[in-house]
Amino acid sequence: MTRHHPPPRRRTVRRLLGPSAGIAAGLLVTGLLAAPSRAQAPTDASPGPGAPIGTTARTVGDARFTPGPCPKTVEPIEELKEARCGTLTVPENRAEPSSRTIRLGVAIVPAVADTPRPDPIVWLAGGPGDDAVGEAKMAVDGGLNRDRDVILMSQRGTYSADPELLCPNVDQFNGQVVGLVYDAPSTERLHVEATKACRDKLAARGVDLSAYNDTQSAADYADLRTALGVKQWNLYGISYGTHLALVSMRLHPEGLRSVGIDGILPPSRSGSAATWSSFRQGVDGLFKACADQPACNERYPNLRGTFEKLVGDLEAKPVTTTVTVPGSDKPVKVVIDGGTLVNWLTSATHTAEAVPRSIDELANGDPQRIAQQWAGWRTNPKGIGVVSHGLAYGVFCSEWTPYESKDAALQGGQKEFPSFPASVQAQAPLLTFLHPDCDAWNIPAAERSIRDVTTSDIPTLALSGAFDAQTGADNGPYVARTLSKAEVVTIPYEPHVVIATSKCAQEIVVSFFETPDAPKTECLKGLEAPAFEIAP
């Protein structure tokens, strides 16, 4: 789950999860079609035996796949140079007979093997609102295309879809927040104003904002499979993509050979309170790892206590400083209050080695390291106009907030961090002002069944990182209760979305798709905690 700009991955081989990832120049020609197709049976030539997936135009029901140029991306992506590409055309709202159509960009990265397996892997991006096509490098770096094609399709509303439901003004304001008191009423008012301005802009373009959600997206992928003529495939979802994968397993199980979910966000648990639980698990794992290392524990004793005291102290008396960020010589004002510190740490588990030193420096009057990191993430120009807030709010405001109380965040914060000030507890990590934003977004609630637990015998790999402060590792055992063929794996010392950070996780994932009933997990035995930075 990534609502705001994601942080850089730790170690040089790690990549961004969301809009700031290296994502590419595209050739997708945009423009909505006037009306949906109404064909009821496959038309056009189907791929012959051994023909590459995605080389033939095909219409099935209301969906049509058309080969063509690769989808647009923010920056060039080497991994897409050999991709077979095109667009999937589907109704914007399948519940409305007169619905217009939308187009979703599709890129199929070929397998490295000369003779690919017939069941490809479909990559489900996170967010909500990240574009799967822009994450091709992450999928390839994870080894997913070793002997299977990897299919990346832009979820509806995302960057390479048509229409794209972007909100650059919201991204810009999220950058300005670094200079404001994070959870102040005045900040909330400005944030909601930015949200409503984007909503009004999209509605004026004729967008049916109620049609951007899990139900429609799951149907998009089911239509893609039939339109491509694929008999069976596999899903790999990261972060919010696990939310969509679990819904797809329940609503469209046909054709699913196996499913990998990484950084698990169960629909039945999604919401503000669960976010506090995830934060607790991730940061406690990190603090414990420091305490278990004699050098770290000696230099930074009682790290958890230091952090919790800082949250209260800074909420009462914020610290203001200035920093410079990469690519700009202009000083950036940064205000660090208790809410800022919580949200910084939620993301900073990706750079775990530096966390103890950063917290210690702040406790001793030096906010520069945290301020620099926080401002760099939030003001990164590569994150402006890339995330689909239209899809994000479509999910949050129809599937999450209608089914939790407005004080769910406060209750979750009180339970997990009773020492925190109420103003901090009231704003779930990375979901600040969620309920007021959803009031402004003003879309109908989804059917309550969208939050049903997924029960399935489809082989499933449930992967988590022990340092994941966004989607807690206990979500793995939770979803496995009703997945009869689930393998639950927690990768020690790793943050959110382990395929992007752990060679061991990558080996496990590749072995899972090879033999879903017996993934190889031997690499877990040799994993070691990070070497935390020790200040002189």
Side-chain angles (χ1 to χ4, degrees), residues 43-83:
T43 61
D44 304 314
S46 297
I53 299 167
T55 55
T56 306
R58 198 165 188 257
T59 300
V60 180
D62 288 333
R64 178 175 179 80
F65 175 77
T66 306
C70 285
K72 67 175 184 178
T73 50
V74 176
E75 296 174 348
I77 297 179
E78 183 74 21
E79 289 72 18
L80 293 177
K81 284 189 174 181
E82 303 300 323

Side-chain angles (χ1 to χ4, degrees), residues 84-430:
R84 304 183 297 275
C85 297
T87 56
L88 181 75
T89 303
V90 294
E92 183 177 45
N93 189 339
R94 292 172 173 84
E96 297 292 337
S98 60
S99 174
R100 66 179 182 176
T101 56
I102 62 176
R103 297 199 293 185
L104 310 177
V106 178
I108 303 169
V109 178
V112 174
D114 293 335
T115 306
R117 300 294 180 90
D119 50 296
I121 297 171
V122 181
W123 179 272
L124 303 181
D130 294 345
D131 193 319
V133 178
E135 296 178 347
K137 180 171 179 56
M138 195 193 310
V140 170
D141 284 352
L144 296 188
N145 72 323
R146 188 181 70 173
D147 53 11
R148 286 175 172 82
D149 292 348
V150 173
I151 300 175
L152 308 109
M153 181 173 75
S154 50
Q155 293 169 25
R156 52 179 48 215
T158 58
Y159 183 81
S160 64
D162 180 9
E164 32 76 10
L165 276 55
L166 311 179
C167 298
N169 68 309
V170 174
D171 298 326
Q172 290 163 353
F173 180 74
N174 286 338
Q176 296 167 13
V177 166
V178 301
L180 304 175
V181 175
Y182 192 81
D183 47 23
S186 56
T187 305
E188 175 182 327
R189 176 180 56 79
L190 293 170
H191 197 283
V192 173
E193 286 177 1
T195 298
K196 188 176 186 305
C198 183
R199 187 228 187 265
D200 292 346
K201 179 192 72 173
L202 296 176
R205 285 167 43 191
V207 174
D208 182 350
L209 295 173
S210 69
Y212 292 79
N213 52 49
D214 280 286
T215 301
Q216 297 286 349
S217 289
D220 293 339
Y221 283 96
D223 281 347
L224 178 66
R225 185 181 65 82
T226 56
L228 289 176
V230 175
K231 181 179 179 181
Q232 191 177 53
W233 66 15
N234 310 273
L235 302 181
Y236 195 83
I238 62 167
S239 192
Y240 159 72
T242 69
H243 195 286
L244 179 56
L246 289 163
V247 170
S248 296
M249 291 169 71
R250 186 167 57 80
L251 298 182
H252 301 282
E254 58 280 358
L256 294 183
R257 172 181 176 266
S258 68
V259 177
I261 47 178
D262 179 352
I264 303 164
L265 188 64
S268 53
R269 270 190 169 181
S270 296
S272 302
T275 305
W276 274 117
S277 173
S278 293
F279 178 71
R280 162 65 81 187
Q281 293 174 63
V283 300
D284 276 0
L286 193 159
F287 293 156
K288 183 180 184 302
C290 175
D292 288 344
Q293 287 186 15
C296 189
N297 189 50
E298 181 179 351
R299 182 64 181 80
Y300 312 115
N302 191 21
L303 194 60
R304 173 174 162 178
T306 301
F307 168 73
E308 293 193 14
K309 184 177 185 301
L310 274 170
V311 170
D313 291 348
L314 290 168
E315 191 70 1
K317 189 177 180 180
V319 169
T320 301
T321 188
T322 59
V323 299
T324 55
V325 297
S328 174
D329 295 329
K330 184 178 179 181
V332 176
K333 175 186 173 184
V334 180
V335 175
I336 303 178
D337 59 8
T340 298
L341 187 61
V342 166
N343 283 272
W344 164 80
L345 184 54
T346 307
S347 297
T349 52
H350 293 275
T351 53
E353 295 93 336
V355 164
R357 180 175 181 177
S358 298
I359 291 175
D360 180 72
E361 289 177 355
L362 180 62
N364 286 283
D366 182 1
Q368 287 299 111
R369 183 185 294 256
I370 289 176
Q372 179 84 40
Q373 201 170 31
W374 179 244
W377 296 339
R378 301 281 296 208
T379 63
N380 187 343
K382 291 183 178 180
I384 304 297
V386 178
V387 171
S388 173
H389 293 275
L391 177 58
Y393 286 128
V395 173
F396 294 149
C397 304
S398 70
E399 302 177 19
W400 293 18
T401 59
Y403 300 108
E404 68 173 21
S405 65
K406 288 186 180 292
D407 62 354
L410 177 63
Q411 293 172 357
Q414 290 172 337
K415 177 182 177 182
E416 303 295 342
F417 292 91
S419 70
F420 283 1
S423 55
V424 176
Q425 294 167 337
Q427 303 298 337
L430 300 184

